[in-house]
Structure formats: structure tokens, C-alpha cells
């Protein structure tokens, strides 16, 4: 049951940071805060504070001072959850935050369920479904671009776009229906010619949003980039080069297989998940077979393959085998070791693999800039800009958009077949409803629970 | 002093279009029923326009007929012109409208009432509702008579504290100078049922001999007449038809109105009631649409044995002298003699959100309401509600579940759901656009949608039902046959298609596939379909529509599936909305006021947002 009880959680991430925030929300939030917070200024209580003001003081468990804190009050309905909210901004230590949270929970709050703060914001009518989902996406965002996209959605960029399309459709439906009920004052004469270009334009916009779905996925998960090459081609050096200066924002995830390493890295804001297949490195037949299979599998899932060629050695059977794997993939050919004498037939490679070629030295770093430029061009040139663009990063949104596009195509078919206008409203309304799903304005039995079950704690 | 005291099962208050249907339904379902009217001479009176049906209202009439009501049969008996409207548009908006001979319509309905078993007619003004606690027990009349009953159905129309107004003149009467019902409002208020004030209006009636029809466009009836009632065929009701006439207002008309608008009771404040936006007076139209240089005016006969002509489109509450100047500015009406003035009428009605979808008051067991008292306008809307109230009063006394039609079943369902869910601030008029699933709710398939229900509630007799079942089987069998008969791309076939203006076949096709082509239909395929048996026109119509629009019908059916999900999520009657935390204040108030039966109904209350519905779903789910 959805209670009006008061919930609390640590709102900041799990990494030790300078400040940690404990958020309390609900009708008892202020009372709970007053039980544990002593203002430095004698006699001041949280209860006395107006919304959006703060007190400085100590968090105390009885007589024992746990931490210094700033206590920030937001009063209903002007808060994230639309309820009374208190945020205790403490010193960051994880263990200390946990102790303070325990204290808060002993003083009248209960632990927030995953996503419960945002659930309350949604149910309080402060944000719509699309915005709620983008909060979740933002929390899970693995990289800067995904976070930006989610932030744009949270601000309602996607909602705004969809709402515009939806209103446009509603206007047409309303006009057609007015004409059905009041033919004296509203004529449908030639209305198809008014409707058609607008539906076509809407369809273009929906298709454009849908086209971002694939890039949206890349943004969220990172571009799966597989480095392939025969032994000693310089794969490891290239990986280190790519990781090198970006080290600070790299997180390391151990691969599921013993000899595959996955690393997340950003090249100028573009997220890459680099998979180093150490597979093709042994000449013993059985092992090599396993290695090639592994490499093959990695390549199948890859969004991009960096094929590293040893520029100082002629091509051999290993290269031929690798080139077979590259069939139909997005590839950048990297000719390595330009700092030593080149023996490889560059022209032949370019004929064999229809892909950009970058020459570099993974040892000295020469040519790395060119590789970065090649990467950014390949994925974003002309299709994605870095600013406030709306990306579809959510499967539910994608499905709804696809359904809407199907319905809009039905409208065009109906126009083509010169169906009476009242038929067109059936498909127009279907598209309208699908857009409504994205905004949470078309009712769906399970929507609320579905969205919030995925939320993490504290937001 | 000794007083009359009688006992019935059902009391119906008012014998207008709602009251007649209510009384007939209850009596035919076997309940002893008494029908009160302030005047036996005004039973089923048509105090405004002289027609039945029209856009979406025609649908209501056919639905009433399919369920076993009377309106369709009565207009078939008494029509003097019939027209299928919107034939150039899709089948969903085809709508039947018939001009009635008003006096005959009233007389024929009264005769039906008089010949119905278990039905008593009584001329008396009901002044008081009798209740024991929350149970309605009967009514009392002005003359002191007491009539006990298990159920009372209020069908008071526009009579409660009625007042007729034009210009500076105001009479405390009902329509046509009939006596108003001045006491019942007080009784309602005493029971804790608040009333509000609505307004409607009617145009002048003009002497036919004073009209120059040569300046107007003649509007004839259809050559092929479609009966309203599914029990009639064209041959059964074919007759000579009369004409209506079309003319227009002009700048002079509009100038007259603008110059005298300060004398309108609406502007002076003499009228407090809210009028219907969708049936505006001519002064409303002129003031609200200053850019329009003319408005349509229909001159319609009031009957065959009268010279009175109805001036459709020009209802008004302007003073008598202004009415003269205004009507006489219209081409053809230069020398018009007014027989009856145009006037506005104000009356008390209830907020229908106090009713359950069965049209029974939530607060009082056995008290029902139907028609204009519920804030609707129109004869057809009234009849539909009266019928449903009559059926549900009878079913209640029989210990049965109420009959509730949903929005995907009938316009009647849309009408009642709107009335009991959305607070209306003006008289509610049925409109095509209010029905979301109108492709499924066509006037041509009302029998296929509703006859089973009419039969089940006992208002469709056995013979009619068997005829209906044969029709349904004929449609199904023929569609199956057409789906299975494959025709090859032979020479005879290609020649036929070429002649019919269609494209030749590339591969073999079924007859059904050919019918789906826009340029072909069932009738046109006769030449290449020697196996077919002769079928009645209404069966052929269903075959054509079902095959030609199959894709659209299927898509609409999917929408209905989705709609039904939330309709089936019932809200327990005893729910305490104060216990549902996180509802917004406005939503909580609205939900408490309407007390919706299902989550679907809740979602249609204005002021209840999707987020509120999510809150409600979560509350109900756990």
C-alpha cells in the first residue's frame, strides 16, 4: 500500500566524497529532523524554518554528536517529492552517513524503497512518466553524454517534443470531429491536403526520434569497440594509449571470460566500451580455434572493430582470417608502428577492407589524434550533436514511437485511399494514445509499478 | 380528510419522451406502473423542433429500438419526411432524421401507453417524494393523493419551476404555456438533492401562408426510406413526404440583433440559467461569430394538419417586436406572420454525477432520474435515459443486476457515462464526437449490437428475436462464403473488372478481396458470382461495411480491448478516498463526489489526472 509515511535514504553515491546527503521525505520529515538535529543557534528548530532555508548544526544521537551538518528544508508542495523534504548535508564518509541514516530510521522514518522519492514526485504530479524514467536513466548513466541526454529528458525536452506532436494530432482530430457535428460551420472540403503534409512531417520527426534509439543505446551502454589483431600487432599498446590520458574516468569491469578485458573510456565525450580480445595469440591448433571463436563472438556483438595491423610486417594468414571476420562490420583499420620502417602494403589493405585507415604509433602516441577524430566522425558527424539533442534511450519509449509511426502511416494510407475523414481519426487517435504512453498521460495499468521497480535507492 | 392511497411497483413522474419510455419499459417487464403527467394532452409532446434523430441522435433512436423501446416505432408511424444524413461521409456518421407530425406523434405514443398492460396513466402534479430513511417509498400529488411504490423515476423535463422568457416578458409556465411543476423542487432539496438552473430555447412558429417559398431551397425527403425501427421494412412505412425549406440570415438580420442585444434577457440578467452551447440562439450565434455573414435557417412543417412552420436555427429570447424585425429580414419571410413567439425557458435540474451508471441516485434506494432533469437536452437523449431508468428500476425490483451499457457498446452508454461522470455546466447534447468508438457504434448495426441484450431483459419478443438471429446468421454465412470463393484471373473475370473500372487480377483472389476494392461492392459482383442467393438489403449493407472497412474495424476493436481493461478494474463501493494517500486535493474531492464504479470511469472525471489514477491503481493493487 502506498502510505503517507516518511521515508529516508542516503541520496549521494557510494563513493566517498566531500559531502554526503541524507534525504527525508513525508509528513513527518520535519519532526524527524527536529528529533536528531540541534541547531548551533540556541532555540532554533527545523519546524520554524520556511521552505528553502537552512540551519547549521549537529546531528545528535541523544547527547552524542555524530556529525556537523547543514539542514535544508523544502516544504510541500514545493519540493522534489511534493511532500515536506529535509536534506541533511553531512560530511561525506560512508560509514558516518550510514550511522546517521540508522539514527533517522530509528527516529520515525522508514527506508525508502528503490525509486520511491521519484515515485512520489510522479504521483504528486510534479513530473511526468518520461521525466521519471529519465531520472532512472540518469542515475544509471555510464558516461557524460548519457547523463546529458537523461538530464535533457528530465528537463522535459523529450516530453516537450512529444507533447507538441500530440497536440498537433489532437487539433486535427478535433477539427474533423467538429466538422462531423457542425457541418454548417466546419468544412472537410480539401482537408486531406491540409492533413497530409503535417502527418508526413510528424512522421519524419518520429522517425528521426526513432533513429536516435540506436544511438541512444550506444550512449547508455557505450559503443562496443573490439580491438582485433594478430599477436604483437600492438593491440595492448593501443589500448593503453586509449586509456592513458583518460584514466581518471575509466572504470574497470572484469570480463565474463578469463581472457577478455572490458574497459569503459570516453573519447571526447563519446563513450566506448573497449573489448580487448586476447584470443588470437596462440598457434596451437585447438587453442587457436577457441580464440578465433571468441574473437568471432566479440566481433558479432561489436558496434565497431579496431583492426590493428603491424605495419612493420607483411600480411599473413592470420590477417586473412581476421579480415574474413570483418565482413559487414564497422571497422577502422589501424596501421601501427609507423615509427619503424613500413613493409605492409597499405593500398592492398584499403582495397580489401572498405574502411577508414589510420596510421599511428601506439608506442609514441603519434597519430592518436587522428584516430580520435576518425572515431568521433564515424559516430556523430552530422547525426548527433552534443547539445540538448533528444535521444530515445528507453525501450518503452521506442516501442510507443514505433506504434505511433505505424498509425501515422495508416493515416497516410487512408488519405491515399480517400477514406472519409472520420476513418482517419481512428489512426490519429491511436498515434495520440501512443504518444500519451511516453508522457504517462495514456493510462496503463502497470505503468507506475513498472517504471518505479527499476529505480535505485535514494532518488 | 380521507385521501386517495394506491400502491404500484413503479411511479414515473412526467410523460415526455423520457417518461413514456420509462413507463413502457417497466410495464412491459411486468411491473405495475403509474405514469403522471400535468396534462394528458401533452404526452410525448415535442415542444421544440419537429424532428426525431439527426447526427448521433438518430443512433440513439435506433439503439432504443434495438433494446425494445418505443421511439423508433412511434416516429415510423408518424413521420412526414425521412432523410439519411451525411451519406457522403463514412458509415459511422450516417444518421437518420425524420420530420414528425407533432400532433400525430403525441397521439400515437399516447395510444401505445393506453394499450399497454400494467400501465396506468394519471393526470396530476406530483409535489412530494416519500422516503423512509434512504429508501424511496412513493410520491404524493398536489391534491393529496399518496402513491406507494418500490421505485420512483423522475422524468420532469423542463417543468420544474419553469419560466418562459422573451424580452422583458416572463411567464411562470412550462413550454407552450403548460403548467409548471412548482413543488417538487422543494421536496428534492429537502431530501438533500441540490438543483441548479439550466436554460434552453425555441424559435418562433410562422404561418405557412405568409411564407414565400420561391426564395428558398427545397429540401426533399429521401426516395428510399430507411425505417428507424428494425421491426419495419421500407414497404411497411412508405408514404408521401412533405418538404422542408432552406434559407439564410443576412447582414440586415444581424444588424437588427446587434442593435437590440441590450434588450435580450440574457444580457439584462433576467435569465440566470446556462444555455446549450451546441444549440445556440440566433443572438448567440451572431454575437459569437461576428465574421459569419449568414447562418442557415430551416423552415420545417409542424405537421400535416397545421399551417405552423418551425424556423430551425433561429431560436431566440429577444422581445416580440425585435423578433418580427429579425424574422422578416430573412428571404422568404418578409411578410411572415408569427403564430407563436420564440422564447427561452429556464428550469431546475439536478447534477447527474449524483447518479450511479444505472441512473439511480446514490443516496436514495429506488429513486431514479432520466431526461432533461439530468441536465441533457433533446428528445432522443431523454428517451434513451428514460428507457434505461425504466429498465433498471424494474430490474432492481426484480432483484436483478442493473443494465449498464459501456462506451464501446452504444451511444446510450456514452451519453449516460458522460452525464454521471462529468459534471455538465450546460445542457448536454449527444454528438458524434463524444463517441470514441463510433465506427463500431453505427446506426446500421444497432440491432447487431443490442438485440441480444433487449431479448435478455425481456423487451424483445421471441418472433422478433428469431428474425434477428436469422439476419445475423445470414451475414456471417455469406461473409464466410465470400472469403472462401476463389476466382481465377480468367478472361471473363478480367473483362468484368475492366468494365467495372477496376484493375485486372494478377493472381487468383477471393470475392471478399474484390469487395474490399474501393470501386467495387457486393452488388457489383453479382455478374461473376452465380452461386449467390438473394439477400435482403440490410444484410448486404452489413456484408459491404464489414468487408470494406475490416482493417479499421479491427483496429478500433483493439482500442476497445484496451479501454475495457480499466473498465473492468472495479472500485469497491465502500472505498474511503481519505485512505488513499497522495491523491491531489482536487482529485480527492471529485472522486468523493462522483464515486466512480471503475478505474476507467474515474479516469474520465475532469480534475482527476493520470497521476491520480496511478495512485488509485497502486492503492487498489495492494
Amino acid at each position: 500500500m502506498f502510505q503517507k509515511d516518511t521515508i529516508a535514504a542516503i541520496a549521494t553515491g557510494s563513493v566517498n566524497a566531500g559531502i554526503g546527503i541524507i534525504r527525508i521525505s513525508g509528513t513527518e520529515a520535519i519532526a524527524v529532523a527536529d528529533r536528531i538535529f540541534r541547531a548551533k543557534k540556541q532555540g532554533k528548530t527545523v519546524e520554524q524554518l520556511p521552505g528553502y532555508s537552512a540551519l547549521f548544526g549537529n546531528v545528535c544521537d541523544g547527547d552524542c554528536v555524530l556529525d556537523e551538518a547543514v539542514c535544508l528544508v523544502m516544504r510541500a508542495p514545493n519540493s522534489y517529492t511534493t511532500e515536506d523534504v529535509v536534506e541533511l548535508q553531512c560530511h561525506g564518509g560512508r560509514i558516518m552517513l550510514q550511522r546517521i541514516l540508522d539514527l533517522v530510521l530509528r527516529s520515525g522514518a522508514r527506508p525508502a524503497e528503490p525509486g520511491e522519492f521519484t515515485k512520489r514526485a510522479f504521483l504528486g504530479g510534479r513530473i511526468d512518466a518520461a521525466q521519471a524514467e529519465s531520472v532512472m536513466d540518469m542515475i544509471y548513466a555510464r558516461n557524460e553524454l548519457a547523463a546529458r541526454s537523461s538530464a535533457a529528458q528530465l528537463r522535459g525536452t523529450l516530453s516537450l517534443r512529444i507533447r507538441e506532436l500530440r497536440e498537433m494530432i489532437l487539433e486535427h482530430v478535433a477539427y474533423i470531429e467538429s466538422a462531423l457535428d457542425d457541418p454548417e460551420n466546419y468544412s472537410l472540403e480539401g482537408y486531406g491536403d491540409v492533413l497530409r503534409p503535417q502527418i508526413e512531417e510528424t512522421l519524419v520527426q518520429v522517425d528521426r526520434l526513432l533513429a536516435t534509439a540506436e544511438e541512444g543505446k550506444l550512449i547508455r551502454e557505450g559503443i562496443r569497440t573490439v580491438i582485433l589483431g594478430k599477436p604483437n600487432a600492438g593491440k595492448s599498446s593501443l589500448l593503453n594509449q586509449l586509456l592513458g590520458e583518460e584514466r581518471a574516468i575509466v572504470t574497470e569491469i572484469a570480463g565474463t571470460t578469463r581472457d577478455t578485458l572490458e574497459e569503459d573510456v570516453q573519447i571526447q565525450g563519446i563513450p566506448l566500451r573497449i573489448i580487448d580480445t586476447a584470443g588470437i595469440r596462440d598457434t596451437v591448433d585447438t587453442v587457436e580455434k577457441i580464440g578465433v571463436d571468441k574473437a568471432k563472438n566479440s566481433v558479432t556483438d561489436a558496434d565497431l572493430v579496431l583492426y590493428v595491423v603491424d605495419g612493420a610486417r607483411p600480411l599473413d594468414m592470420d590477417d586473412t582470417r581476421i579480415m574474413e571476420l570483418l565482413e559487414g562490420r564497422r571497422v577502422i583499420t589501424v596501421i601501427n608502428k609507423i615509427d619503424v620502417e613500413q613493409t605492409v602494403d597499405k593500398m592492398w589493405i584499403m582495397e580489401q577492407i572498405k574502411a577508414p585507415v589510420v596510421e599511428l604509433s601506439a608506442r609514441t602516441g603519434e597519430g592518436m589524434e587522428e584516430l580520435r577524430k576518425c572515431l568521433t566522425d564515424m559516430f556523430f558527424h552530422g547525426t548527433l550533436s552534443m547539445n540538448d539533442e533528444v535521444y530515445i534511450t528507453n525501450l518503452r519509449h521506442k516501442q510507443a514511437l514505433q506504434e505511433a509511426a505505424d498509425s501515422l502511416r495508416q493515416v497516410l494510407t487512408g488519405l491515399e485511399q480517400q477514406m472519409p475523414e472520420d476513418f482517419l481519426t481512428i489512426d490519429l487517435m491511436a498515434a495520440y494514445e501512443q504518444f500519451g504512453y511516453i508522457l504517462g498521460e495514456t493510462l496503463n495499468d502497470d505503468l507506475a509499478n513498472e517504471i518505479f521497480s527499476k529505480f535505485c535507492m535514494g532518488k | 380528510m380521507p385521501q386517495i392511497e394506491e400502491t404500484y411497483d413503479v411511479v414515473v413522474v412526467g410523460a415526455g419522451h423520457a417518461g413514456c419510455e420509462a413507463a413502457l419499459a417497466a410495464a412491459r417487464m411486468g411491473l405495475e406502473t403509474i405514469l403522471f403527467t400535468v396534462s394528458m394532452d401533452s404526452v410525448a409532446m415535442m415542444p421544440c423542433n419537429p424532428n426525431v434523430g439527426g447526427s448521433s441522435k438518430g443512433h440513439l433512436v435506433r439503439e432504443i429500438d434495438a433494446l425494445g423501446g418505443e421511439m423508433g416505432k412511434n416516429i415510423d408511424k408518424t413521420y412526414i419526411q425521412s432523410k439519411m444524413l451525411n451519406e457522403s461521409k463514412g458509415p459511422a456518421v450516417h444518421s437518420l432524421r425524420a420530420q414528425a407530425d407533432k400532433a400525430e406523434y403525441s397521439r400515437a405514443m399516447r395510444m401505445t401507453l393506453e394499450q399497454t398492460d400494467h400501465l396506468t396513466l394519471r393526470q396530476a402534479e406530483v409535489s412530494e417524494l416519500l422516503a423512509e430513511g434512504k429508501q424511496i417509498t412513493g410520491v404524493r400529488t398536489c391534491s393529496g393523493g399518496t402513491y406507494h411504490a418500490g421505485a420512483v423515476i423522475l422524468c420532469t423535463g423542463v417543468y420544474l419551476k419553469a419560466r418562459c422568457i422573451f424580452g422583458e416578458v416572463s411567464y411562470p409556465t412550462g413550454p407552450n404555456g403548460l403548467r409548471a411543476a412548482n413543488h417538487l423542487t422543494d421536496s428534492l432539496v429537502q431530501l438533500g438533492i441540490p438543483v441548479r438552473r439550466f436554460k434552453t430555447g425555441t424559435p418562433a412558429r410562422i404561418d405557412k401562408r405568409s411564407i414565400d417559398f420561391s426564395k428558398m431551397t427545397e429540401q426533399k425527403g429521401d426516395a428510399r426510406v430507411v425505417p428507424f425501427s428494425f421491426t419495419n421494412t421500407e414497404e411497411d412505412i412508405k408514404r408521401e413526404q412533405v418538404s422542408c425549406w432552406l434559407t439564410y440570415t443576412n447582414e440586415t438580420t444581424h444588424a437588427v440583433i446587434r442593435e437590440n442585444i441590450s434588450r435580450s434577457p440574457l444580457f439584462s440578467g433576467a435569465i440566470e440559467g446556462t444555455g446549450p452551447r451546441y444549440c445556440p440562439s440566433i443572438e448567440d450565434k451572431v454575437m459569437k461569430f461576428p465574421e459569419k455573414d449568414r447562418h442557415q435557417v430551416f423552415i420545417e412543417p409542424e405537421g400535416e394538419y397545421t399551417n405552423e412552420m418551425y424556423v430551425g436555427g433561429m431560436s431566440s429570447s429577444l422581445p416580440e417586436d425585435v423578433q418580427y424585425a429579425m424574422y422578416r429580414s430573412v428571404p422568404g419571410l418578409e411578410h411572415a406572420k408569427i403564430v407563436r413567439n420564440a422564447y427561452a425557458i429556464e428550469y431546475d435540474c439536478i447534477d447527474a454525477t449524483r447518479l450511479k451508471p444505472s441512473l439511480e441516485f446514490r443516496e436514495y434506494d429506488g429513486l431514479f432520474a432520466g431526461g432533461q432533469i439530468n441536465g441533457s437536452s433533446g428528445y432522443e437523449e431523454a428517451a434513451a435515459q428514460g428507457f434505461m431508468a425504466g429498465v433498471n428500476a424494474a430490474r432492481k425490483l426484480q432483484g436483478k443486476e442493473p443494465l449498464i451499457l459501456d462506451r464501446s457498446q452504444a451511444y446510450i452508454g456514452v451519453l449516460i457515462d458522460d452525464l454521471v461522470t462529468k459534471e455538465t455546466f450546460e445542457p448536454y447534447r449527444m454528438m458524434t464526437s463524444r463517441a470514441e468508438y463510433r465506427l463500431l457504434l453505427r446506426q446500421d448495426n444497432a440491432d447487431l449490437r443490442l438485440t441480444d441484450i433487449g431479448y435478455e431483459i425481456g423487451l424483445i419478443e421471441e418472433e422478433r428475436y428469431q428474425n434477428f438471429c436469422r439476419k445475423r446468421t445470414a451475414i456471417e454465412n455469406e461473409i464466410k462464403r465470400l472469403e472462401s470463393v476463389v476466382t481465377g484471373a480468367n478472361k471473363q473475370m478480367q473483362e468484368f473488372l475492366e468494365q467495372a473500372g477496376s484493375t485486372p487480377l494478377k493472381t487468383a483472389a477471393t470475392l471478399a478481396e474484390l469487395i474490399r476494392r474501393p470501386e467495387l461492392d457486393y452488388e457489383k459482383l453479382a455478374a461473376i458470382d452465380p452461386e449467390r442467393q438473394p439477400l435482403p438489403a440490410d444484410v448486404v449493407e452489413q456484408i459491404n461495411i464489414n468487408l470494406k472497412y475490416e482493417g479499421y474495424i479491427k483496429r478500433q476493436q483493439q482500442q476497445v480491448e484496451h479501454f475495457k481493461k480499466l473498465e473492468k478494474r472495479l472500485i469497491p463501493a465502500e472505498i474511503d478516498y481519505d485512505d488513499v494517500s497522495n491523491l491531489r486535493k482536487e482529485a480527492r474531492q471529485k472522486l468523493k463526489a462522483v464515486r466512480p464504479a471503475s478505474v476507467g470511469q474515474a479516469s474520465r472525471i475532469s480534475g482527476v489526472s493520470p497521476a491520480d489514477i496511478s495512485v488509485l491503481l497502486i492503492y487498489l493493487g495492494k
Side-chain angles (χ1 to χ4, degrees), chain A residues 301-326:
Chain A
D301 295 340
D303 299 311
L304 175 67
V305 178
L306 294 180
Y307 169 37
V308 184
V309 179
D310 184 344
R313 278 188 291 164
L315 297 172
D316 57 21
M317 280 306 288
D318 286 341
D319 286 298
T320 318
R321 211 168 284 152
I322 291 167
M323 281 184 205
E324 280 165 17
L325 294 177
L326 299 181

Short mmCIF file of all heavy atoms in Angstrom, two decimals, chain A residues 301-326:
data_model
loop_
_atom_site.label_atom_id
_atom_site.label_comp_id
_atom_site.label_asym_id
_atom_site.label_seq_id
_atom_site.Cartn_x
_atom_site.Cartn_y
_atom_site.Cartn_z
N ASP A 301 28.99 -9.01 -31.74
CA ASP A 301 28.31 -8.03 -30.88
C ASP A 301 28.86 -6.62 -31.04
O ASP A 301 28.32 -5.68 -30.46
CB ASP A 301 28.49 -8.43 -29.40
CG ASP A 301 27.79 -9.74 -29.11
OD1 ASP A 301 26.89 -10.10 -29.90
OD2 ASP A 301 28.13 -10.40 -28.12
N ALA A 302 29.94 -6.48 -31.78
CA ALA A 302 30.64 -5.20 -31.77
C ALA A 302 29.89 -4.14 -32.57
O ALA A 302 29.28 -4.42 -33.58
CB ALA A 302 32.04 -5.37 -32.34
N ASP A 303 29.94 -2.89 -32.06
CA ASP A 303 29.47 -1.77 -32.84
C ASP A 303 30.61 -1.27 -33.74
O ASP A 303 30.36 -0.63 -34.76
CB ASP A 303 29.04 -0.63 -31.91
CG ASP A 303 27.90 -1.05 -30.99
OD1 ASP A 303 26.91 -1.62 -31.51
OD2 ASP A 303 28.00 -0.82 -29.78
N LEU A 304 31.83 -1.54 -33.31
CA LEU A 304 33.00 -1.05 -34.05
C LEU A 304 34.17 -2.00 -33.81
O LEU A 304 34.34 -2.51 -32.70
CB LEU A 304 33.37 0.36 -33.53
CG LEU A 304 34.64 0.99 -34.09
CD1 LEU A 304 34.48 1.30 -35.57
CD2 LEU A 304 35.00 2.25 -33.32
N VAL A 305 34.93 -2.23 -34.85
CA VAL A 305 36.14 -3.04 -34.70
C VAL A 305 37.35 -2.17 -35.03
O VAL A 305 37.37 -1.49 -36.05
CB VAL A 305 36.11 -4.26 -35.65
CG1 VAL A 305 37.40 -5.08 -35.51
CG2 VAL A 305 34.89 -5.14 -35.36
N LEU A 306 38.31 -2.17 -34.13
CA LEU A 306 39.61 -1.55 -34.43
C LEU A 306 40.54 -2.69 -34.85
O LEU A 306 40.93 -3.52 -34.03
CB LEU A 306 40.16 -0.82 -33.20
CG LEU A 306 39.38 0.39 -32.70
CD1 LEU A 306 40.07 0.99 -31.47
CD2 LEU A 306 39.23 1.44 -33.78
N TYR A 307 40.83 -2.73 -36.11
CA TYR A 307 41.68 -3.81 -36.62
C TYR A 307 43.12 -3.29 -36.66
O TYR A 307 43.44 -2.38 -37.42
CB TYR A 307 41.20 -4.23 -38.02
CG TYR A 307 42.14 -5.14 -38.75
CD1 TYR A 307 42.87 -6.14 -38.08
CD2 TYR A 307 42.31 -5.02 -40.14
CE1 TYR A 307 43.73 -6.97 -38.77
CE2 TYR A 307 43.16 -5.85 -40.83
CZ TYR A 307 43.88 -6.82 -40.14
OH TYR A 307 44.74 -7.64 -40.81
N VAL A 308 43.95 -3.87 -35.81
CA VAL A 308 45.33 -3.39 -35.68
C VAL A 308 46.26 -4.23 -36.56
O VAL A 308 46.33 -5.44 -36.42
CB VAL A 308 45.80 -3.46 -34.21
CG1 VAL A 308 47.20 -2.86 -34.08
CG2 VAL A 308 44.81 -2.70 -33.32
N VAL A 309 46.92 -3.56 -37.49
CA VAL A 309 47.85 -4.23 -38.41
C VAL A 309 49.28 -3.81 -38.04
O VAL A 309 49.53 -2.63 -37.77
CB VAL A 309 47.55 -3.80 -39.87
CG1 VAL A 309 48.54 -4.47 -40.83
CG2 VAL A 309 46.12 -4.14 -40.24
N ASP A 310 50.13 -4.78 -38.02
CA ASP A 310 51.55 -4.49 -37.75
C ASP A 310 52.17 -3.96 -39.03
O ASP A 310 52.39 -4.70 -39.99
CB ASP A 310 52.25 -5.78 -37.29
CG ASP A 310 53.70 -5.52 -36.89
OD1 ASP A 310 54.23 -4.44 -37.26
OD2 ASP A 310 54.27 -6.38 -36.21
N GLY A 311 52.47 -2.66 -39.04
CA GLY A 311 52.98 -2.03 -40.26
C GLY A 311 54.38 -2.48 -40.64
O GLY A 311 54.82 -2.29 -41.77
N ALA A 312 55.07 -3.11 -39.69
CA ALA A 312 56.45 -3.50 -39.94
C ALA A 312 56.57 -4.92 -40.45
O ALA A 312 57.65 -5.42 -40.70
CB ALA A 312 57.28 -3.32 -38.66
N ARG A 313 55.42 -5.61 -40.59
CA ARG A 313 55.47 -7.00 -41.07
C ARG A 313 54.50 -7.17 -42.23
O ARG A 313 53.42 -6.58 -42.22
CB ARG A 313 55.06 -7.96 -39.95
CG ARG A 313 56.18 -8.27 -38.97
CD ARG A 313 55.74 -9.37 -38.01
NE ARG A 313 54.69 -8.91 -37.09
CZ ARG A 313 53.93 -9.74 -36.38
NH1 ARG A 313 54.08 -11.05 -36.48
NH2 ARG A 313 53.00 -9.26 -35.57
N PRO A 314 54.84 -7.98 -43.18
CA PRO A 314 53.90 -8.25 -44.28
C PRO A 314 52.66 -8.97 -43.75
O PRO A 314 52.72 -9.63 -42.72
CB PRO A 314 54.69 -9.17 -45.23
CG PRO A 314 56.10 -9.15 -44.75
CD PRO A 314 56.10 -8.74 -43.32
N LEU A 315 51.58 -8.87 -44.46
CA LEU A 315 50.35 -9.56 -44.05
C LEU A 315 50.53 -11.06 -44.19
O LEU A 315 51.27 -11.52 -45.05
CB LEU A 315 49.18 -9.10 -44.93
CG LEU A 315 48.85 -7.61 -44.80
CD1 LEU A 315 47.82 -7.22 -45.85
CD2 LEU A 315 48.34 -7.28 -43.41
N ASP A 316 49.86 -11.83 -43.32
CA ASP A 316 49.97 -13.29 -43.42
C ASP A 316 48.59 -13.94 -43.26
O ASP A 316 47.56 -13.26 -43.28
CB ASP A 316 50.96 -13.82 -42.37
CG ASP A 316 50.56 -13.40 -40.96
OD1 ASP A 316 49.35 -13.08 -40.77
OD2 ASP A 316 51.41 -13.37 -40.06
N MET A 317 48.60 -15.25 -43.05
CA MET A 317 47.34 -15.99 -42.95
C MET A 317 46.46 -15.49 -41.80
O MET A 317 45.23 -15.46 -41.90
CB MET A 317 47.63 -17.49 -42.77
CG MET A 317 47.98 -18.21 -44.06
SD MET A 317 46.72 -17.96 -45.33
CE MET A 317 45.39 -18.97 -44.67
N ASP A 318 47.09 -15.12 -40.67
CA ASP A 318 46.32 -14.59 -39.54
C ASP A 318 45.51 -13.37 -39.96
O ASP A 318 44.34 -13.22 -39.61
CB ASP A 318 47.25 -14.22 -38.38
CG ASP A 318 47.77 -15.48 -37.67
OD1 ASP A 318 47.13 -16.54 -37.85
OD2 ASP A 318 48.79 -15.38 -36.97
N ASP A 319 46.16 -12.50 -40.72
CA ASP A 319 45.47 -11.29 -41.17
C ASP A 319 44.29 -11.65 -42.08
O ASP A 319 43.20 -11.08 -41.96
CB ASP A 319 46.44 -10.37 -41.93
CG ASP A 319 47.40 -9.69 -40.96
OD1 ASP A 319 46.91 -8.93 -40.10
OD2 ASP A 319 48.62 -9.95 -41.04
N THR A 320 44.52 -12.61 -42.97
CA THR A 320 43.45 -13.03 -43.87
C THR A 320 42.25 -13.53 -43.08
O THR A 320 41.09 -13.19 -43.36
CB THR A 320 43.93 -14.18 -44.79
OG1 THR A 320 45.23 -13.87 -45.23
CG2 THR A 320 43.00 -14.35 -45.97
N ARG A 321 42.56 -14.35 -42.05
CA ARG A 321 41.49 -14.91 -41.23
C ARG A 321 40.71 -13.77 -40.52
O ARG A 321 39.49 -13.79 -40.42
CB ARG A 321 42.11 -15.85 -40.18
CG ARG A 321 41.20 -16.99 -39.79
CD ARG A 321 41.96 -18.01 -39.00
NE ARG A 321 42.82 -18.84 -39.83
CZ ARG A 321 43.94 -19.43 -39.41
NH1 ARG A 321 44.37 -19.23 -38.17
NH2 ARG A 321 44.65 -20.20 -40.20
N ILE A 322 41.44 -12.80 -40.02
CA ILE A 322 40.80 -11.68 -39.33
C ILE A 322 39.93 -10.89 -40.32
O ILE A 322 38.79 -10.51 -40.01
CB ILE A 322 41.85 -10.77 -38.66
CG1 ILE A 322 42.50 -11.53 -37.49
CG2 ILE A 322 41.19 -9.50 -38.13
CD1 ILE A 322 43.75 -10.87 -36.96
N MET A 323 40.47 -10.67 -41.50
CA MET A 323 39.72 -9.88 -42.49
C MET A 323 38.39 -10.53 -42.83
O MET A 323 37.40 -9.86 -43.08
CB MET A 323 40.57 -9.71 -43.76
CG MET A 323 41.62 -8.61 -43.60
SD MET A 323 42.49 -8.36 -45.14
CE MET A 323 44.03 -7.71 -44.57
N GLU A 324 38.37 -11.89 -42.82
CA GLU A 324 37.11 -12.58 -43.06
C GLU A 324 36.07 -12.21 -41.99
O GLU A 324 34.89 -12.06 -42.28
CB GLU A 324 37.31 -14.10 -43.07
CG GLU A 324 37.88 -14.61 -44.39
CD GLU A 324 38.41 -16.03 -44.27
OE1 GLU A 324 38.06 -16.72 -43.28
OE2 GLU A 324 39.18 -16.43 -45.17
N LEU A 325 36.55 -12.06 -40.76
CA LEU A 325 35.65 -11.71 -39.67
C LEU A 325 35.07 -10.30 -39.81
O LEU A 325 34.03 -9.98 -39.25
CB LEU A 325 36.37 -11.79 -38.31
CG LEU A 325 36.83 -13.15 -37.85
CD1 LEU A 325 37.59 -13.01 -36.53
CD2 LEU A 325 35.64 -14.09 -37.66
N LEU A 326 35.76 -9.47 -40.55
CA LEU A 326 35.37 -8.06 -40.61
C LEU A 326 34.25 -7.81 -41.62
O LEU A 326 33.73 -6.69 -41.69
CB LEU A 326 36.58 -7.19 -40.98
CG LEU A 326 37.73 -7.27 -39.99
CD1 LEU A 326 38.87 -6.36 -40.44
CD2 LEU A 326 37.29 -6.91 -38.59
#
